[in-house]
Amino acid sequence: MKVCIAEKPSVAKDIAQILGANQRKDGYFEGNGYQVTWTFGHLCTLKEPHEYTPDWKAWRLNYLPMIPPRFGIKLIENSGIEKQFKAIESIVQKADEVINCGDAGQEGELIQRWVLQKAGCKCPIKRLWISSLTEEAIKEGFAKLKDEKEFQHLYEAGLSRAIGDWLLGMNATRLYTIKYGQGKQVLSIGRVQTPTLALIVNRHLEIENFNPEPYWELKTIYRDTTFSVTKGRFSTQEEGQAFLEQVRNAEFEITDVTKKAGNEFAPRLFDLTSLQVECNKKFGYSADETLKLIQSLYEKKVTTYPRVDTTFLSEDIYPKIPNILKGIKDYEALTAPLLQGKIPKSKKVFDNAKVTDHHAIIPTGVHPNNLTAEEHKVFDMVARRFIAVFYPDCKISTTTVLGEVDSIEFKVTGKQILVPGWRVVFGGKEKTEEEKEADDEWVLPDFVKGERGPHEPDLAEKWTQPPKEYTEATLLRAMETAGKLVDNEELRDALKENGIGRPSTRAAIIETLFKRNYMRKERKNLIPTQTGIDLIQTIQDDMLKSAELTGVWEKKLREIERGIYDAKLFMEELKEMVTQVVLNGKNAAYKQFSIEEKKPEEPAKKEKQTKPRVKKEVKDSKATLVPNDELIGKPCPACGKGTVLKGKTAYGCSDWKNGCAWRLDF
């Protein structure tokens, strides 16, 4: 009997129907020589600290760092999980072959491997690896099953990530909670969430501490066109006024007119991050909302696998393009011109070197039915991007006009669309209002070199502006490039290697920061709470909060996945790092913390249906915080004058009568 394990019941049902396993059993389908069962998210997890060493149940500084000699997994305590696992275990142990049909990504590989390990699987294991859930894709995948060994590096990367998150999260969270949490709040520290919070806090503080400075701009209007002085801005009004007086009474003369033809390429296909960015800009969807919507479209078989970080297609997709275009019937007016001739095969779209496990997000060619309004918006974006990449380039003409007044040079640039090309696909939908305002798409009058005439100069006072607070869109881009915000797509591709987090986890990281009350949302802006600010300012260790350093670790995890970095070496480096983080934290000076209450009207409260999985080490924190008697008699960490005393429910300062309010509950 062959046993197939899918990622969720709905996928198992689809696979069972295709394989002819139509008999429903308790926890699986059976028939035609197959048994098809399923998981639903993580059934197993890494053991908790006290399951390695009983003493680690207590949150005490002298027990840190907690580094188990060998990590183990356990079944998550849940009656539904336990029941389904027993069903899996009973059929796996009798199987002749197991086919891992889990989610085709790092997390999916880890989920299924752990379940099979826990179930005591001894038989050969194959892997179903597909990029969509259509019947055609599933049949093709079963015809080309892969050996599990081909995905060993993927599993090692997922395991290294999970252990790394456990080591840093468990140790740093306990360290900072014991030292600074005042018995009121668990201060969650994470390998990705903390440097992400640091990006938000540092930007906010940069804005708060920004000192605007005045400058002056000299412009002049000639033939209803505004020209700017090429010298740039003036740092003093006197300098600008002198130039204004010089040009006020002289005529404006056109000295040069240059027209340059050029092409604009269609926007790239979507990866998950770029889709989340666009949905946040255009519709205000959070990263988590967009992930849920594109996941739903994938499960409805109308789009391909969403958790991807490439904007390219592999060359084997090229023969399928005409049928996909024919399948999206609602866009027939746009696809018909493409289907009349040969579909172009551009290196900007098809590049095997830039595709690893999965290609960019595209439609599958299945006609979308029963989509919600939100799902339709997301599908429309994916479909139009897909169609646009096969259209001709947009042809433009850029005109640069130079003018002169009494030897002082002015300049204006305009852009004209000559042939819209791919732009017809969007019908004006592609640009946001902000982008339209920033665009120079307007046609200049026909200027002739040597013409002269009156003009209207003006000197305007301006002030330097601080950077803008992060939105989810700009934060996602910053996470993708480890804090380096760049617009150039090729440069961004190069920086992705050192991005923090994975496309599939960034939405959950952002939601976790809301849940921890480290930040809140004001309109679209992400604003750190005082707790979030204090946490980042208290952490002096760059290893915990530097996006660049975290990006280096992410790069190594990606290299483990590709088989070019040793997972064992990574773990040794990680253990050294955690040991150093704990040592640095223990030796750091005490600092009073602001524990800010969460306001009920905040978005994080409102979006409570979103439940990203979080480490279980933070549950029942007050129950595990126990007396830390090593503090008794030590100098008070707040005032330094008194010594630490132990009361019935908390530690306090002996100098409390003189106003020291330091207290640590247990």
Side-chain angles (χ1 to χ4, degrees):
M1 187 73 74
K2 293 182 179 181
V3 172
C4 303
I5 304 184
E7 65 201 67
K8 58 178 61 179
S10 60
V11 178
K13 186 178 179 181
D14 289 342
I15 291 173
Q17 287 176 345
I18 291 168
L19 296 176
N22 297 319
Q23 191 176 354
R24 180 67 190 256
K25 300 282 188 177
D26 190 11
Y28 61 96
F29 298 94
E30 185 174 284
N32 199 27
Y34 288 94
Q35 291 171 323
V36 184
T37 187
W38 59 85
T39 57
F40 29 83
H42 281 273
L43 299 193
C44 297
T45 186
L46 290 172
K47 290 179 178 178
E48 297 193 48
H50 66 273
E51 292 172 299
Y52 297 105
T53 302
D55 285 349
W56 286 353
K57 192 174 183 69
W59 288 40
R60 296 180 63 168
L61 283 176
N62 61 321
Y63 289 155
L64 303 180
M66 302 177 295
I67 302 177
R70 183 179 176 83
F71 280 85
I73 58 172
K74 65 171 186 174
L75 202 62
I76 293 172
E77 295 175 11
N78 175 283
S79 58
I81 285 175
E82 289 166 3
K83 180 182 178 184
Q84 183 60 20
F85 177 76
K86 284 178 182 176
I88 295 170
E89 187 178 37
S90 67
I91 60 176
V92 161
Q93 291 185 350
K94 301 171 189 172
D96 299 313
E97 180 180 274
V98 168
I99 303 169
N100 177 355
C101 305
D103 192 33
Q106 191 183 100
E107 194 75 359
E109 188 69 18
L110 186 68
I111 288 171
Q112 304 297 72
R113 290 274 192 124
W114 277 356
V115 169
L116 291 174
Q117 286 175 26
K118 193 71 179 171
C121 180
K122 304 294 183 187
C123 64
I125 301 173
K126 298 290 186 183
R127 186 58 158 106
L128 175 71
W129 194 266
I130 53 179
S131 287
S132 79
L133 294 175
T134 63
E135 183 176 342
E136 179 190 4
I138 292 172
K139 284 181 176 178
E140 189 178 325
F142 268 94
K144 300 177 182 177
L145 289 173
K146 300 175 183 290
D147 194 280
E148 183 196 46
K149 293 176 184 176
E150 292 183 41
F151 300 91
Q152 182 62 25
H153 293 311
L154 183 71
Y155 167 66
E156 289 174 359
L159 181 62
S160 298
R161 182 180 296 275
I163 291 175
D165 287 343
W166 190 101
L167 280 170
L168 194 62
M170 289 286 186
N171 283 287
T173 294
R174 291 192 176 198
L175 171 68
Y176 279 83
T177 298
I178 294 166
K179 192 157 184 176
Y180 304 105
Q182 303 166 37
K184 298 178 183 177
Q185 179 171 331
V186 171
L187 297 174
S188 173
I189 306 288
R191 184 181 56 84
V192 179
Q193 66 163 295
T194 304
T196 301
L197 176 61
L199 288 173
I200 296 163
V201 169
N202 293 340
R203 172 65 60 86
H204 182 73
L205 294 177
E206 187 180 352
I207 293 167
E208 280 200 336
N209 297 325
F210 183 80
N211 290 317
E213 295 180 354
Y215 64 94
W216 286 262
E217 287 185 342
L218 178 60
K219 296 187 177 184
T220 192
I221 299 174
Y222 173 70
R223 288 181 56 189
D224 296 323
T225 303
T226 302
F227 288 75
S228 299
V229 69
T230 57
K231 183 185 181 302
R233 60 180 60 174
F234 300 99
S235 56
T236 67
Q237 186 174 9
E238 291 74 19
E239 184 185 13
Q241 193 68 36
F243 273 78
L244 176 64
E245 295 304 324
Q246 186 175 340
V247 303
R248 191 188 295 278
N249 298 316
E251 281 193 323
F252 188 94
E253 180 182 357
I254 299 296
T255 57
D256 187 63
V257 179
T258 304
K259 291 187 178 182
K260 186 178 180 182
N263 291 344
E264 281 187 346
F265 305 121
R268 284 191 188 177
L269 296 170
F270 283 117
D271 60 7
L272 178 58
T273 300
S274 60
L275 182 65
Q276 289 170 316
V277 167
E278 288 302 299
C279 286
N280 184 253
K281 285 181 179 178
K282 288 181 169 57
F283 311 129
Y285 296 163
S286 70
D288 191 57
E289 287 168 335
T290 300
L291 177 56
K292 283 185 168 66
L293 289 167
I294 192 63
Q295 179 69 22
S296 177
L297 291 172
Y298 168 63
E299 290 171 13
K300 289 181 177 181
K301 306 179 178 60
V302 297
T303 58
T304 57
Y305 186 73
R307 291 169 160 81
V308 298
D309 60 0
T310 182
T311 57
F312 292 86
L313 300 177
S314 51
E315 292 182 15
D316 62 343
I317 301 297
Y318 177 72
K320 301 177 182 179
I321 299 301
N323 283 337
I324 297 174
L325 290 169
K326 288 173 188 173
I328 47 179
K329 301 185 191 311
D330 292 341
Y331 301 86
E332 197 168 2
L334 296 170
T335 59
L338 296 174
L339 293 168
Q340 288 173 1
K342 186 180 179 182
I343 302 294
K345 189 179 181 183
S346 166
K347 198 73 172 173
K348 294 182 182 301
V349 180
F350 299 94
D351 190 341
N352 285 346
K354 295 183 179 178
V355 177
T356 51
D357 300 329
H358 296 282
H359 54 68
I361 303 169
I362 61 173
T364 60
V366 172
H367 183 66
N369 289 312
N370 303 319
L371 301 188
T372 66
E374 291 78 13
E375 287 171 349
H376 185 270
K377 286 181 180 179
V378 176
F379 179 80
D380 183 68
M381 291 180 71
V382 172
R384 288 179 187 273
R385 281 277 178 113
F386 176 69
I387 296 167
V389 297
F390 302 114
Y391 263 69
D393 295 340
C394 170
K395 296 189 181 301
I396 61 170
S397 173
T398 303
T399 303
T400 302
V401 182
L402 298 179
E404 194 175 274
V405 184
D406 195 16
S407 301
I408 297 175
E409 192 176 68
F410 290 81
K411 177 182 176 181
V412 68
T413 301
K415 183 167 64 177
Q416 182 180 6
I417 295 176
L418 303 176
V419 180
W422 58 265
R423 285 180 177 271
V424 301
V425 175
F426 299 100
K429 293 183 179 183
E430 180 64 7
K431 286 185 175 293
T432 63
E433 287 304 314
E434 289 177 359
E435 290 167 334
K436 286 176 182 174
E437 287 177 16
D439 208 345
D440 286 330
E441 286 176 16
W442 50 283
V443 183
L444 299 175
D446 287 327
F447 291 109
V448 178
K449 182 177 178 180
E451 68 173 87
R452 303 170 66 91
H455 63 110
E456 301 170 29
D458 180 62
L459 184 69
E461 181 181 9
K462 300 286 183 72
W463 289 82
T464 54
Q465 297 295 313
K468 293 180 179 179
E469 300 277 11
Y470 279 112
T471 63
E472 286 203 34
T474 56
L475 180 62
L476 284 166
R477 283 297 188 211
M479 293 175 76
E480 185 181 52
T481 57
K484 295 180 175 66
L485 286 178
V486 294
D487 293 323
N488 182 279
E489 287 185 325
E490 290 185 9
L491 178 57
R492 197 158 61 225
D493 280 347
L495 292 171
K496 277 183 183 181
E497 188 77 3
N498 286 62
I500 59 175
R502 291 178 66 83
S504 56
T505 61
R506 288 173 189 144
I509 292 296
I510 293 171
E511 291 301 311
T512 297
L513 294 176
F514 282 128
K515 187 175 181 179
R516 301 288 186 220
N517 199 31
Y518 289 159
M519 71 177 184
R520 63 182 184 274
K521 192 180 288 185
E522 291 182 2
R523 295 186 179 178
K524 281 190 175 184
N525 294 334
L526 304 178
I527 310 296
T529 63
Q530 192 58 49
T531 302
I533 293 171
D534 281 359
L535 179 61
I536 294 303
Q537 291 187 323
T538 298
I539 297 172
Q540 299 302 312
D541 200 323
D542 280 343
M543 285 187 285
L544 281 179
K545 63 180 182 178
S546 165
E548 288 190 24
L549 287 175
T550 304
V552 171
W553 290 96
E554 286 285 355
K555 183 173 185 286
K556 289 179 179 179
L557 284 166
R558 287 174 173 83
E559 289 175 346
I560 291 171
E561 188 173 318
R562 295 200 297 268
I564 59 176
Y565 199 82
D566 185 10
K568 291 180 181 177
L569 177 59
F570 176 82
M571 293 312 306
E572 290 306 312
E573 292 173 343
L574 192 59
K575 289 173 184 178
E576 287 179 20
M577 171 188 170
V578 169
T579 302
Q580 191 60 50
V581 163
V582 169
L583 181 62
N584 294 347
K586 285 181 176 180
N587 293 334
Y590 178 80
K591 180 182 176 182
Q592 190 70 32
F593 229 90
S594 297
I595 305 298
E596 188 173 315
E597 295 295 324
K598 184 180 286 189
K599 299 173 185 175
E601 71 272 16
E602 289 183 358
K605 194 81 173 179
K606 197 166 57 180
E607 297 168 0
K608 212 167 185 179
Q609 71 271 20
T610 301
K611 293 183 178 179
R613 286 186 286 275
V614 294
K615 295 291 181 186
K616 294 188 77 176
E617 38 102 4
V618 299
K619 72 177 184 180
D620 301 328
S621 58
K622 290 199 174 182
T624 56
L625 287 171
V626 299
N628 202 346
D629 291 348
E630 65 187 29
L631 295 172
I632 298 172
K634 298 284 180 68
C636 171
C639 68
K641 297 177 183 176
T643 55
V644 176
L645 303 174
K646 179 181 177 183
K648 290 183 179 179
T649 60
Y651 298 101
C653 177
S654 63
D655 208 31
W656 61 274
K657 289 184 179 179
N658 295 322
C660 181
W662 181 79
R663 173 188 174 94
L664 177 62
D665 294 330
F666 55 77

